[in-house]
Amino acid sequence: MRMLVTGGAGYVGSHTCVALAEAGHEVFAIDNFANSDESALTGVSALVGRRFEWSRADIRDRDAMAKLIAPGAFDVILHLAALKSVPESLKKPELYWDNNVGGMAVLLRAGRAAETSMFVFSSSATVYGAQERVPISESASPAPLNPYACTKLAGERMLSDLVHSQPDFRACILRYFNPVGAHKSGGIGENLKEPASNLFPMAIAACRNQRTVEIYGTDYETPDGSAIRDYVHVMDIAEAHVSAVNFLASDKSRNRGDAWIFNLGTGQGCSVIELIRKIEKVSRRPIITRATGRRKGDIAISVADPSLSEALLGWRARRSLEEACADVLRPDDWRCK
Ligand SMILES: NC(=O)c1ccc[n+]([C@@H]2O[C@H](COP(=O)([O-])OP(=O)(O)OC[C@H]3O[C@@H](n4cnc5c(N)ncnc54)[C@H](O)[C@@H]3O)[C@@H](O)[C@H]2O)c1
């Protein structure tokens, strides 16, 4: 099938392009390089060869999207392009609403005009906010705690409305938990323009540069007091997109009358302190840590119940967290700043 991947130069997007092309699909990626550069796309090209093309484009550009998404051009749109920094979204909410929600509306409009019938949307576990019940299933009521998470939920609702209005339109919402790691070749990875604000790349950078990594909060109600997350290898996340496309193309996805929602996580929690110990073990280097106060908007525990993804998509995370650490810590792959 022919796939349009928005945000294809990004961290998850580049790995997803590889997984889709390796599954035999024709992939066309677009990106405006707001948080990436061409090197990721060069890396994807080197890994997958002729099944991959790309161009620079902004999803908010109505004319460009209408021209690109011509009738019959794509069977599926996989929408990963977004701004994703929680701290930045607290400072510039209008930018996040314009880019993530406004951009998605433009994309959906172009897709509808071209009668593209399948859509996969990258959402986030942040839409759940702090839940009493863990692991979190898709039926939990969303309670986003910051503008970034609100824009993801707004995208989900927009998609849901579109599915209601068009009987032939089918959509999957993938709620990622915490993607980590890199392609095992070292050819692509998390190529950060800004220093990271999430733990895994911060801890990897601290390990590499012998800098201190801050532990935000050691007084949570968790066994070691630090926050617990569900880390999932980025290639497992990438392969979930292949499963989602197969699902949408199959009879199993018919007649729901709404978008399908799936958690992408391992179901296993790992605390900040445990993650740092794992990186130390894999790298055989000590990491210097400093305990500081809780960060605004952070929650104690976020772990997925991935059973629906396993049952309907036939997907489950196969790679370990140690593998994710090793894939990023290869000596020639020190991209994290
Ligand atoms: N990485 C995570 O921790 C995580 C967790 C949950 C959900 N997500 C979601 O997954 C998706 C991919 O995340 P990622 O980690 O790869 O982020 P990323 O920043 O690496 O990739 C996003 C890409 O989208 C591009 N982009 C942003 N705005 C654009 C626009 N207007 N037009 C065209 N391109 C645009 C950026 O340049 C970037 O290359 C995002 O939608 C994000 O919200 C990510």
Side-chain angles (χ1 to χ4, degrees), residues 43-82:
V44 176
S45 292
L47 287 168
V48 303
R50 279 187 300 135
R51 284 158 297 169
F52 180 66
E53 286 178 73
W54 63 270
S55 74
R56 177 192 287 265
D58 192 306
I59 55 164
R60 291 166 295 180
D61 183 336
R62 250 171 231 273
D63 293 340
M65 289 307 107
K67 206 167 154 195
L68 175 73
I69 308 172
F74 300 106
D75 301 299
V76 190
I77 298 173
L78 295 106
H79 176 42
L80 291 87

mmCIF file of all heavy atoms in Angstrom, residues 43-82:
data_model
loop_
_atom_site.group_PDB
_atom_site.id
_atom_site.type_symbol
_atom_site.label_atom_id
_atom_site.label_comp_id
_atom_site.label_asym_id
_atom_site.label_seq_id
_atom_site.Cartn_x
_atom_site.Cartn_y
_atom_site.Cartn_z
ATOM 1 N N GLY A 43 19.274 8.584 6.513
ATOM 2 C CA GLY A 43 19.460 7.313 7.226
ATOM 3 C C GLY A 43 18.393 6.297 6.846
ATOM 4 O O GLY A 43 18.691 5.129 6.606
ATOM 5 N N VAL A 44 17.130 6.764 6.756
ATOM 6 C CA VAL A 44 16.036 5.858 6.369
ATOM 7 C C VAL A 44 16.280 5.353 4.947
ATOM 8 O O VAL A 44 16.180 4.154 4.672
ATOM 9 C CB VAL A 44 14.656 6.556 6.466
ATOM 10 C CG1 VAL A 44 13.554 5.636 5.959
ATOM 11 C CG2 VAL A 44 14.358 6.990 7.884
ATOM 12 N N SER A 45 16.627 6.277 4.045
ATOM 13 C CA SER A 45 16.874 5.890 2.636
ATOM 14 C C SER A 45 17.936 4.809 2.559
ATOM 15 O O SER A 45 17.792 3.833 1.818
ATOM 16 C CB SER A 45 17.354 7.081 1.815
ATOM 17 O OG SER A 45 16.335 8.000 1.684
ATOM 18 N N ALA A 46 19.002 4.991 3.335
ATOM 19 C CA ALA A 46 20.094 4.019 3.295
ATOM 20 C C ALA A 46 19.614 2.648 3.786
ATOM 21 O O ALA A 46 20.059 1.618 3.292
ATOM 22 C CB ALA A 46 21.257 4.513 4.153
ATOM 23 N N LEU A 47 18.676 2.661 4.730
ATOM 24 C CA LEU A 47 18.204 1.384 5.278
ATOM 25 C C LEU A 47 17.185 0.686 4.378
ATOM 26 O O LEU A 47 17.148 -0.532 4.324
ATOM 27 C CB LEU A 47 17.588 1.596 6.669
ATOM 28 C CG LEU A 47 18.580 1.882 7.807
ATOM 29 C CD1 LEU A 47 17.838 2.352 9.060
ATOM 30 C CD2 LEU A 47 19.375 0.625 8.137
ATOM 31 N N VAL A 48 16.360 1.493 3.662
ATOM 32 C CA VAL A 48 15.258 0.835 2.930
ATOM 33 C C VAL A 48 15.313 1.004 1.410
ATOM 34 O O VAL A 48 14.550 0.360 0.697
ATOM 35 C CB VAL A 48 13.872 1.288 3.444
ATOM 36 C CG1 VAL A 48 13.739 1.011 4.921
ATOM 37 C CG2 VAL A 48 13.598 2.740 3.134
ATOM 38 N N GLY A 49 16.157 1.886 0.918
ATOM 39 C CA GLY A 49 16.341 2.000 -0.533
ATOM 40 C C GLY A 49 15.155 2.596 -1.264
ATOM 41 O O GLY A 49 14.579 3.575 -0.820
ATOM 42 N N ARG A 50 14.729 1.982 -2.342
ATOM 43 C CA ARG A 50 13.804 2.608 -3.290
ATOM 44 C C ARG A 50 12.362 2.728 -2.813
ATOM 45 O O ARG A 50 11.553 3.376 -3.449
ATOM 46 C CB ARG A 50 13.816 1.824 -4.608
ATOM 47 C CG ARG A 50 14.999 2.213 -5.489
ATOM 48 C CD ARG A 50 14.882 1.566 -6.839
ATOM 49 N NE ARG A 50 14.873 0.103 -6.698
ATOM 50 C CZ ARG A 50 14.028 -0.691 -7.339
ATOM 51 N NH1 ARG A 50 13.135 -0.205 -8.135
ATOM 52 N NH2 ARG A 50 14.102 -2.004 -7.167
ATOM 53 N N ARG A 51 12.032 2.047 -1.720
ATOM 54 C CA ARG A 51 10.630 2.112 -1.276
ATOM 55 C C ARG A 51 10.343 3.382 -0.482
ATOM 56 O O ARG A 51 9.329 3.509 0.167
ATOM 57 C CB ARG A 51 10.301 0.893 -0.417
ATOM 58 C CG ARG A 51 10.100 -0.362 -1.213
ATOM 59 C CD ARG A 51 10.310 -1.579 -0.354
ATOM 60 N NE ARG A 51 11.679 -1.630 0.144
ATOM 61 C CZ ARG A 51 12.097 -2.451 1.084
ATOM 62 N NH1 ARG A 51 11.265 -3.261 1.663
ATOM 63 N NH2 ARG A 51 13.369 -2.455 1.472
ATOM 64 N N PHE A 52 11.270 4.347 -0.546
ATOM 65 C CA PHE A 52 11.135 5.521 0.315
ATOM 66 C C PHE A 52 11.437 6.825 -0.430
ATOM 67 O O PHE A 52 12.455 6.954 -1.082
ATOM 68 C CB PHE A 52 12.120 5.376 1.484
ATOM 69 C CG PHE A 52 12.065 6.524 2.442
ATOM 70 C CD1 PHE A 52 10.926 6.747 3.200
ATOM 71 C CD2 PHE A 52 13.123 7.399 2.572
ATOM 72 C CE1 PHE A 52 10.860 7.817 4.078
ATOM 73 C CE2 PHE A 52 13.065 8.466 3.458
ATOM 74 C CZ PHE A 52 11.927 8.675 4.216
ATOM 75 N N GLU A 53 10.492 7.795 -0.317
ATOM 76 C CA GLU A 53 10.719 9.137 -0.865
ATOM 77 C C GLU A 53 10.239 10.147 0.169
ATOM 78 O O GLU A 53 9.418 9.815 1.024
ATOM 79 C CB GLU A 53 9.884 9.340 -2.128
ATOM 80 C CG GLU A 53 10.401 8.601 -3.338
ATOM 81 C CD GLU A 53 9.472 8.852 -4.507
ATOM 82 O OE1 GLU A 53 9.481 9.972 -5.046
ATOM 83 O OE2 GLU A 53 8.719 7.924 -4.829
ATOM 84 N N TRP A 54 10.706 11.368 0.045
ATOM 85 C CA TRP A 54 10.264 12.368 1.021
ATOM 86 C C TRP A 54 10.312 13.775 0.429
ATOM 87 O O TRP A 54 10.964 14.002 -0.599
ATOM 88 C CB TRP A 54 11.129 12.319 2.282
ATOM 89 C CG TRP A 54 12.601 12.646 2.077
ATOM 90 C CD1 TRP A 54 13.585 11.756 1.775
ATOM 91 C CD2 TRP A 54 13.222 13.927 2.166
ATOM 92 N NE1 TRP A 54 14.792 12.404 1.677
ATOM 93 C CE2 TRP A 54 14.599 13.744 1.919
ATOM 94 C CE3 TRP A 54 12.761 15.215 2.447
ATOM 95 C CZ2 TRP A 54 15.513 14.795 1.923
ATOM 96 C CZ3 TRP A 54 13.679 16.266 2.459
ATOM 97 C CH2 TRP A 54 15.032 16.041 2.199
ATOM 98 N N SER A 55 9.633 14.715 1.085
ATOM 99 C CA SER A 55 9.790 16.129 0.730
ATOM 100 C C SER A 55 9.590 16.986 1.981
ATOM 101 O O SER A 55 8.984 16.539 2.963
ATOM 102 C CB SER A 55 8.806 16.550 -0.360
ATOM 103 O OG SER A 55 7.515 16.667 0.171
ATOM 104 N N ARG A 56 10.097 18.220 1.895
ATOM 105 C CA ARG A 56 9.904 19.171 2.999
ATOM 106 C C ARG A 56 8.504 19.771 2.852
ATOM 107 O O ARG A 56 8.163 20.288 1.778
ATOM 108 C CB ARG A 56 10.950 20.286 2.888
ATOM 109 C CG ARG A 56 10.781 21.368 3.938
ATOM 110 C CD ARG A 56 11.648 22.570 3.597
ATOM 111 N NE ARG A 56 13.059 22.301 3.843
ATOM 112 C CZ ARG A 56 13.708 22.619 4.956
ATOM 113 N NH1 ARG A 56 13.073 23.240 5.923
ATOM 114 N NH2 ARG A 56 14.985 22.335 5.092
ATOM 115 N N ALA A 57 7.707 19.701 3.876
ATOM 116 C CA ALA A 57 6.364 20.296 3.818
ATOM 117 C C ALA A 57 5.853 20.492 5.231
ATOM 118 O O ALA A 57 6.240 19.785 6.154
ATOM 119 C CB ALA A 57 5.410 19.381 3.057
ATOM 120 N N ASP A 58 4.969 21.478 5.363
ATOM 121 C CA ASP A 58 4.366 21.782 6.663
ATOM 122 C C ASP A 58 2.895 21.361 6.606
ATOM 123 O O ASP A 58 2.181 21.765 5.671
ATOM 124 C CB ASP A 58 4.501 23.289 6.948
ATOM 125 C CG ASP A 58 4.175 23.613 8.386
ATOM 126 O OD1 ASP A 58 3.081 23.237 8.864
ATOM 127 O OD2 ASP A 58 5.024 24.239 9.059
ATOM 128 N N ILE A 59 2.466 20.597 7.580
ATOM 129 C CA ILE A 59 1.077 20.106 7.540
ATOM 130 C C ILE A 59 0.060 21.244 7.641
ATOM 131 O O ILE A 59 -1.110 21.057 7.320
ATOM 132 C CB ILE A 59 0.793 19.055 8.646
ATOM 133 C CG1 ILE A 59 1.145 19.600 10.033
ATOM 134 C CG2 ILE A 59 1.517 17.748 8.368
ATOM 135 C CD1 ILE A 59 0.549 18.799 11.186
ATOM 136 N N ARG A 60 0.480 22.416 8.099
ATOM 137 C CA ARG A 60 -0.464 23.543 8.202
ATOM 138 C C ARG A 60 -0.687 24.246 6.862
ATOM 139 O O ARG A 60 -1.548 25.114 6.746
ATOM 140 C CB ARG A 60 0.049 24.562 9.220
ATOM 141 C CG ARG A 60 -0.006 24.043 10.638
ATOM 142 C CD ARG A 60 0.792 24.905 11.577
ATOM 143 N NE ARG A 60 2.217 24.854 11.251
ATOM 144 C CZ ARG A 60 3.154 25.509 11.906
ATOM 145 N NH1 ARG A 60 2.827 26.278 12.925
ATOM 146 N NH2 ARG A 60 4.425 25.405 11.548
ATOM 147 N N ASP A 61 0.128 23.886 5.863
ATOM 148 C CA ASP A 61 0.068 24.547 4.551
ATOM 149 C C ASP A 61 -1.044 23.885 3.711
ATOM 150 O O ASP A 61 -0.861 22.827 3.117
ATOM 151 C CB ASP A 61 1.452 24.392 3.878
ATOM 152 C CG ASP A 61 1.527 25.095 2.548
ATOM 153 O OD1 ASP A 61 0.473 25.306 1.918
ATOM 154 O OD2 ASP A 61 2.656 25.402 2.129
ATOM 155 N N ARG A 62 -2.194 24.555 3.671
ATOM 156 C CA ARG A 62 -3.385 24.011 2.995
ATOM 157 C C ARG A 62 -3.125 23.631 1.541
ATOM 158 O O ARG A 62 -3.488 22.545 1.089
ATOM 159 C CB ARG A 62 -4.465 25.093 2.990
ATOM 160 C CG ARG A 62 -5.613 24.798 3.877
ATOM 161 C CD ARG A 62 -6.505 26.026 3.973
ATOM 162 N NE ARG A 62 -6.724 26.296 5.377
ATOM 163 C CZ ARG A 62 -7.707 25.723 6.076
ATOM 164 N NH1 ARG A 62 -8.541 24.912 5.505
ATOM 165 N NH2 ARG A 62 -7.860 25.986 7.357
ATOM 166 N N ASP A 63 -2.490 24.557 0.799
ATOM 167 C CA ASP A 63 -2.278 24.301 -0.639
ATOM 168 C C ASP A 63 -1.342 23.122 -0.837
ATOM 169 O O ASP A 63 -1.580 22.252 -1.675
ATOM 170 C CB ASP A 63 -1.693 25.547 -1.327
ATOM 171 C CG ASP A 63 -2.704 26.687 -1.327
ATOM 172 O OD1 ASP A 63 -3.904 26.386 -1.155
ATOM 173 O OD2 ASP A 63 -2.287 27.855 -1.478
ATOM 174 N N ALA A 64 -0.263 23.118 -0.027
ATOM 175 C CA ALA A 64 0.716 22.028 -0.177
ATOM 176 C C ALA A 64 0.069 20.687 0.153
ATOM 177 O O ALA A 64 0.295 19.688 -0.547
ATOM 178 C CB ALA A 64 1.915 22.277 0.734
ATOM 179 N N MET A 65 -0.768 20.641 1.195
ATOM 180 C CA MET A 65 -1.395 19.370 1.576
ATOM 181 C C MET A 65 -2.406 18.927 0.506
ATOM 182 O O MET A 65 -2.481 17.741 0.165
ATOM 183 C CB MET A 65 -2.087 19.486 2.947
ATOM 184 C CG MET A 65 -1.137 19.592 4.127
ATOM 185 S SD MET A 65 0.097 18.276 4.200
ATOM 186 C CE MET A 65 1.573 19.152 3.714
ATOM 187 N N ALA A 66 -3.168 19.902 -0.034
ATOM 188 C CA ALA A 66 -4.164 19.541 -1.061
ATOM 189 C C ALA A 66 -3.459 19.002 -2.307
ATOM 190 O O ALA A 66 -3.940 18.049 -2.940
ATOM 191 C CB ALA A 66 -5.004 20.765 -1.410
ATOM 192 N N LYS A 67 -2.307 19.589 -2.631
ATOM 193 C CA LYS A 67 -1.566 19.149 -3.825
ATOM 194 C C LYS A 67 -0.951 17.758 -3.600
ATOM 195 O O LYS A 67 -1.023 16.882 -4.457
ATOM 196 C CB LYS A 67 -0.442 20.163 -4.075
ATOM 197 C CG LYS A 67 -0.022 20.229 -5.508
ATOM 198 C CD LYS A 67 0.837 21.446 -5.732
ATOM 199 C CE LYS A 67 1.741 21.199 -6.917
ATOM 200 N NZ LYS A 67 2.828 22.155 -6.979
ATOM 201 N N LEU A 68 -0.375 17.591 -2.422
ATOM 202 C CA LEU A 68 0.314 16.322 -2.114
ATOM 203 C C LEU A 68 -0.679 15.159 -2.017
ATOM 204 O O LEU A 68 -0.462 14.079 -2.569
ATOM 205 C CB LEU A 68 1.068 16.481 -0.787
ATOM 206 C CG LEU A 68 1.762 15.251 -0.229
ATOM 207 C CD1 LEU A 68 3.000 14.926 -1.055
ATOM 208 C CD2 LEU A 68 2.165 15.469 1.231
ATOM 209 N N ILE A 69 -1.780 15.413 -1.289
ATOM 210 C CA ILE A 69 -2.746 14.325 -1.039
ATOM 211 C C ILE A 69 -3.805 14.365 -2.141
ATOM 212 O O ILE A 69 -4.972 14.687 -1.913
ATOM 213 C CB ILE A 69 -3.340 14.449 0.383
ATOM 214 C CG1 ILE A 69 -2.205 14.560 1.414
ATOM 215 C CG2 ILE A 69 -4.222 13.234 0.713
ATOM 216 C CD1 ILE A 69 -2.654 14.883 2.830
ATOM 217 N N ALA A 70 -3.386 14.041 -3.327
ATOM 218 C CA ALA A 70 -4.302 14.020 -4.474
ATOM 219 C C ALA A 70 -5.142 12.740 -4.408
ATOM 220 O O ALA A 70 -4.721 11.762 -3.774
ATOM 221 C CB ALA A 70 -3.485 14.047 -5.757
ATOM 222 N N PRO A 71 -6.320 12.739 -5.055
ATOM 223 C CA PRO A 71 -7.124 11.509 -5.043
ATOM 224 C C PRO A 71 -6.297 10.325 -5.555
ATOM 225 O O PRO A 71 -5.608 10.425 -6.566
ATOM 226 C CB PRO A 71 -8.283 11.839 -5.993
ATOM 227 C CG PRO A 71 -8.393 13.330 -5.933
ATOM 228 C CD PRO A 71 -6.994 13.850 -5.762
ATOM 229 N N GLY A 72 -6.316 9.251 -4.802
ATOM 230 C CA GLY A 72 -5.599 8.040 -5.202
ATOM 231 C C GLY A 72 -4.116 8.026 -4.870
ATOM 232 O O GLY A 72 -3.440 7.024 -5.087
ATOM 233 N N ALA A 73 -3.603 9.135 -4.341
ATOM 234 C CA ALA A 73 -2.152 9.191 -4.083
ATOM 235 C C ALA A 73 -1.731 8.262 -2.935
ATOM 236 O O ALA A 73 -0.669 7.648 -2.993
ATOM 237 C CB ALA A 73 -1.727 10.626 -3.778
ATOM 238 N N PHE A 74 -2.561 8.188 -1.905
ATOM 239 C CA PHE A 74 -2.181 7.382 -0.724
ATOM 240 C C PHE A 74 -3.362 6.518 -0.270
ATOM 241 O O PHE A 74 -4.503 6.956 -0.297
ATOM 242 C CB PHE A 74 -1.759 8.296 0.438
ATOM 243 C CG PHE A 74 -0.577 9.166 0.103
ATOM 244 C CD1 PHE A 74 -0.743 10.528 -0.146
ATOM 245 C CD2 PHE A 74 0.695 8.617 0.005
ATOM 246 C CE1 PHE A 74 0.342 11.326 -0.486
ATOM 247 C CE2 PHE A 74 1.787 9.416 -0.340
ATOM 248 C CZ PHE A 74 1.608 10.766 -0.581
ATOM 249 N N ASP A 75 -3.023 5.321 0.190
ATOM 250 C CA ASP A 75 -4.051 4.462 0.788
ATOM 251 C C ASP A 75 -4.220 4.787 2.268
ATOM 252 O O ASP A 75 -5.311 4.646 2.814
ATOM 253 C CB ASP A 75 -3.634 2.988 0.654
ATOM 254 C CG ASP A 75 -3.447 2.596 -0.800
ATOM 255 O OD1 ASP A 75 -4.431 2.691 -1.549
ATOM 256 O OD2 ASP A 75 -2.323 2.230 -1.179
ATOM 257 N N VAL A 76 -3.129 5.174 2.908
ATOM 258 C CA VAL A 76 -3.156 5.428 4.357
ATOM 259 C C VAL A 76 -2.352 6.688 4.669
ATOM 260 O O VAL A 76 -1.284 6.899 4.077
ATOM 261 C CB VAL A 76 -2.499 4.269 5.152
ATOM 262 C CG1 VAL A 76 -2.755 4.410 6.648
ATOM 263 C CG2 VAL A 76 -2.951 2.905 4.671
ATOM 264 N N ILE A 77 -2.854 7.481 5.600
ATOM 265 C CA ILE A 77 -2.056 8.592 6.149
ATOM 266 C C ILE A 77 -1.696 8.214 7.579
ATOM 267 O O ILE A 77 -2.578 7.868 8.378
ATOM 268 C CB ILE A 77 -2.847 9.921 6.132
ATOM 269 C CG1 ILE A 77 -3.190 10.316 4.695
ATOM 270 C CG2 ILE A 77 -2.049 11.027 6.827
ATOM 271 C CD1 ILE A 77 -4.108 11.530 4.576
ATOM 272 N N LEU A 78 -0.392 8.259 7.873
ATOM 273 C CA LEU A 78 0.062 8.032 9.259
ATOM 274 C C LEU A 78 0.554 9.365 9.771
ATOM 275 O O LEU A 78 1.550 9.914 9.263
ATOM 276 C CB LEU A 78 1.171 6.976 9.308
ATOM 277 C CG LEU A 78 0.708 5.571 8.868
ATOM 278 C CD1 LEU A 78 1.247 5.259 7.490
ATOM 279 C CD2 LEU A 78 1.155 4.522 9.859
ATOM 280 N N HIS A 79 -0.141 9.889 10.750
ATOM 281 C CA HIS A 79 0.112 11.268 11.176
ATOM 282 C C HIS A 79 0.912 11.316 12.485
ATOM 283 O O HIS A 79 0.357 11.163 13.571
ATOM 284 C CB HIS A 79 -1.223 11.991 11.326
ATOM 285 C CG HIS A 79 -1.068 13.381 11.849
ATOM 286 N ND1 HIS A 79 -0.078 14.229 11.423
ATOM 287 C CD2 HIS A 79 -1.788 14.079 12.773
ATOM 288 C CE1 HIS A 79 -0.176 15.374 12.069
ATOM 289 N NE2 HIS A 79 -1.201 15.306 12.890
ATOM 290 N N LEU A 80 2.221 11.556 12.325
ATOM 291 C CA LEU A 80 3.109 11.639 13.497
ATOM 292 C C LEU A 80 3.612 13.055 13.749
ATOM 293 O O LEU A 80 4.167 13.327 14.814
ATOM 294 C CB LEU A 80 4.325 10.706 13.319
ATOM 295 C CG LEU A 80 4.041 9.207 13.371
ATOM 296 C CD1 LEU A 80 3.657 8.660 12.003
ATOM 297 C CD2 LEU A 80 5.230 8.437 13.919
ATOM 298 N N ALA A 81 3.477 13.954 12.772
ATOM 299 C CA ALA A 81 4.043 15.299 12.935
ATOM 300 C C ALA A 81 3.368 16.025 14.096
ATOM 301 O O ALA A 81 2.145 16.093 14.169
ATOM 302 C CB ALA A 81 3.850 16.103 11.655
ATOM 303 N N ALA A 82 4.166 16.549 14.991
ATOM 304 C CA ALA A 82 3.627 17.322 16.115
ATOM 305 C C ALA A 82 4.793 17.951 16.862
ATOM 306 O O ALA A 82 5.936 17.512 16.735
ATOM 307 C CB ALA A 82 2.845 16.426 17.072
#
